[in-house]
Amino acid sequence: NAGVTQTPKFQVLKTGQSMTLQCAQDMNHEYMSWYRQDPGMGLRLIHYSVGAGITDQGEVPNGYNVSRSTTEDFPLRLLSAAPSQTSVYFCASSYSTATSDTQYFGPGTRLTVL
Amino acid sequence: DQQVKQNSPSLSVQEGRISILNCDYTNSMFDYFLWYKKYPAEGPTFLISISSIKDKNEDGRFTVFLNKSAKHLSLHIVPSQPGDSAVYFCAAPRGSGYALNFGKGTSLLVTP
């Protein structure tokens, strides 16, 4: 199993450009989520999905869009990039059981917006 | 409003000694806690967890203690090794567990 994969690893955008960060998992997990990590801020939840076709907002959703058309994929779209979106982005997935909340993380995408 | 708090941004410990990382939480409904470890340029990886029905969970050199009355948990690493140098995040599940509430992290440096 590849686990959780993310592409690209690095990306530089200009203000106003749009792009999609890709995330895929091969563990048949129902739950998937996107976080951003900023210095001194920990990991903050952007959007999450509890299954194909179901998504919802986390604590910092503005400027981002998601969709979940398959169990495996959960892309994150930046509609019009801003310097405040410079960050490291992590995708995660987990089983939907009451006894296991362990999330598995991808390696991250480092995004710089100029 | 951050529900999981790690008030020490960094900690430096000598190799072979004990490392103690602390975490506080505000939501008394939390019934499960996790610690994640993160190396630079990698994603966080699960380290150890504890259910609220326990006050201690041990896995090799890592032990997590939970004090529900104080809403406090701590991660003990004994003995500390240079390879333990990383950022450690304390976390608790959101809702049904679809995502996690993370603390801001503590950067641990273990010096030889």
Side-chain angles (χ1 to χ4, degrees), chain B residues 17-112:
Chain B
R17 307 290 276 259
I18 183 171
S19 295
I20 301 176
L21 293 85
N22 294 304
C23 177
D24 298 296
Y25 61 96
T26 58
N27 190 340
S28 57
M29 298 299 290
F30 288 153
D31 59 2
Y32 193 76
F33 300 90
L34 307 92
W35 285 92
Y36 278 79
K37 179 178 183 178
K38 186 184 177 308
Y39 291 118
E42 294 184 11
T45 55
F46 170 73
L47 183 60
I48 191 169
S49 62
I50 187 166
S51 165
S52 62
I53 63 173
K54 296 185 174 182
D55 54 17
K56 175 183 172 182
N57 189 27
E58 195 170 350
D59 183 1
R61 296 185 297 112
F62 302 91
T63 303
V64 57
F65 295 92
L66 175 61
N67 182 335
K68 289 191 292 292
S69 61
K71 295 196 183 70
H72 177 83
L73 58 156
S74 60
L75 174 68
H76 294 212
I77 307 173
V78 185
S80 301
Q81 299 174 353
D84 296 328
S85 297
V87 178
Y88 290 79
F89 291 100
C90 175
R94 293 175 181 261
S96 60
Y98 55 80
L100 295 170
N101 287 292
F102 282 94
K104 293 185 178 181
T106 296
S107 179
L108 174 65
L109 176 65
V110 180
T111 56

Side-chain angles (χ1 to χ4, degrees), chain A residues 15 33 40 47 50 74 83-84 86 107 110 112:
Chain A
T15 296
S33 50
H47 284 284
V50 297
F74 191 43
S84 60
T86 293
R110 183 173 292 274
T112 301

Side-chain angles (χ1 to χ4, degrees), chain A:
Chain A
N1 284 357
V4 180
T5 58
Q6 291 183 238
T7 55
K9 286 194 183 310
F10 302 95
Q11 184 70 50
V12 178
L13 292 178
K14 294 181 179 177
T15 296
Q17 287 185 315
S18 62
M19 79 160 294
T20 299
L21 280 63
Q22 302 292 344
C23 173
Q25 53 93 6
D26 61 359
M27 297 174 281
N28 204 30
H29 286 167
E30 288 191 31
Y31 293 167
M32 294 187 75
S33 50
W34 277 100
Y35 299 83
R36 59 178 288 174
Q37 184 193 12
D38 302 293
M41 299 295 291
L43 288 99
R44 294 182 292 169
L45 182 65
I46 306 172
H47 284 284
Y48 66 93
S49 169
V50 297
I54 307 169
T55 64
D56 207 343
Q57 297 181 349
E59 55 187 305
V60 288
N62 292 343
Y64 307 96
N65 229 346
V66 292
S67 60
R68 182 106 179 263
S69 55
T70 66
T71 299
E72 295 77 21
D73 300 297
F74 191 43
L76 178 72
R77 296 183 188 83
L78 279 70
L79 309 172
S80 176
S84 60
Q85 294 178 304
T86 293
S87 187
V88 182
Y89 292 84
F90 292 100
C91 179
S93 71
S94 65
Y95 291 110
S96 59
T97 71
T99 56
S100 173
D101 295 313
T102 304
Q103 294 226 316
Y104 297 84
F105 284 82
T109 294
R110 183 173 292 274
L111 175 69
T112 301
V113 183
L114 303 175

